[in-house]
Amino acid sequence: SLHLVRPVLMALADSGEYEMASRLLEQRLDQDSDSVDRDCFHRVLQACCNAGALDQAWKVLDAMKNYKGISPSRSTYKILLQ
């Protein structure tokens, strides 16, 4: 659930572990669960961008666009443009 996955995703992303954060996000999306929200996507995007992993950041953005009920916002694009 969101309250369990979100803190783990945030901790991984905040510590620069963008690969692990991306994998966890992918796993949660594959399970089609409601355990991610826009903020989860944003943290993983920020971690990817901070690490210079722009290819991975675009993959996360694509996943966000395809996920039910969550779409990119202005904040999403700000993260990518920084």
Side-chain angles (χ1 to χ4, degrees), residues 18-68:
Y18 77 91
E19 291 172 320
M20 291 179 72
S22 295
R23 279 196 301 270
L24 178 58
L25 180 65
E26 286 176 30
Q27 288 173 354
R28 300 315 303 172
L29 297 176
D30 287 344
Q31 293 178 359
D32 196 37
S33 65
D34 292 328
S35 60
V36 297
D37 61 7
R38 182 178 285 119
D39 197 39
C40 292
F41 280 101
H42 283 180
R43 290 291 179 107
V44 176
L45 275 172
Q46 186 69 60
C48 291
C49 290
N50 289 347
L54 300 182
D55 287 342
Q56 183 61 34
W58 289 113
K59 289 178 186 176
V60 172
L61 179 64
D62 286 341
M64 183 183 203
K65 289 178 180 178
N66 294 315
Y67 190 66
K68 60 183 178 204

